[in-house]
Amino acid sequence: MEVESSLGSVPVRQFSVFLINRAGALRGVVKLLQDNGIRVLGLSVQDSVDVTNVRLVLSDPESAESLFMERGIPYGACEVIVLELAGGADDLDRCLGALLSAETNVNFLYPLLTRPNGKATIALHVEDVEIASGVLATGGFKLLRQNDLSR
């Protein structure tokens, strides 16, 4: 299997960072990323009494992963679909309908902070990325790759 060298073909990776639930923990991670030239493009926070799970889409996933490993920050990574909603929020129902017709579950989704083409974007974690990507592309949705976000 040949490794793709272009960011244009690289899927978007999301990081889940696990933080102890205390004041300033999230800011510490965001500042660490910023201080290392990595922009936070998407963010979702799930808080509990003990631990906070922060989902992040970042401008430079490779550098972020190295940074997390160097600093001993517990994290996980997975592929997400980033979808442009050309019609804004009205496209959300159409997107979810397409995924339902393909019988693909959505585990979670959240909006991104960035609008690469001036249009709303969402990150979706689905049970089958290939099927979901195919259905959404066939349905006329624009799927964004890492280079679309990292410009």
Side-chain angles (χ1 to χ4, degrees):
M1 174 183 261
E2 185 177 319
V3 177
E4 299 286 346
S5 61
S6 165
L7 280 177
S9 58
V10 174
V12 177
R13 282 186 19 213
Q14 171 204 272
F15 291 93
S16 293
V17 177
F18 307 102
L19 303 174
I20 294 173
N21 191 352
R22 69 171 169 236
L26 177 59
R27 181 173 187 264
V29 169
V30 170
K31 183 157 179 27
L32 176 67
L33 292 166
Q34 283 182 325
D35 288 349
N36 285 275
I38 302 166
R39 292 183 7 242
V40 175
L41 305 174
L43 172 75
S44 170
V45 178
Q46 290 184 310
D47 198 20
S48 70
V49 174
D50 299 324
V51 177
T52 299
N53 179 21
V54 181
R55 294 182 172 126
L56 298 161
V57 173
L58 302 169
S59 62
D60 186 348
E62 292 78 21
S63 295
E65 188 163 29
S66 295
L67 187 61
F68 293 153
M69 286 191 298
E70 283 172 15
R71 298 295 176 100
I73 297 171
Y75 74 96
C78 64
E79 183 178 340
V80 291
I81 297 171
V82 174
L83 188 66
E84 187 175 272
L85 299 177
D90 294 338
D91 275 351
L92 184 58
D93 179 57
R94 198 166 63 85
C95 163
L96 296 174
L99 294 172
L100 176 62
S101 70
E103 298 180 4
T104 299
N105 286 332
V106 176
N107 298 322
F108 55 84
L109 66 85
Y110 53 94
L112 271 65
L113 301 171
T114 185
R115 298 171 67 99
N117 299 313
K119 298 179 178 134
T121 53
I122 57 172
L124 298 113
H125 185 272
V126 295
E127 67 181 357
D128 190 319
V129 172
E130 282 187 42
I131 289 174
S133 295
V135 166
L136 292 168
T138 301
F141 288 96
K142 181 174 181 179
L143 282 66
L144 304 179
R145 306 298 274 180
Q146 186 65 48
N147 76 311
D148 298 317
L149 302 175
S150 295
R151 298 183 214 177

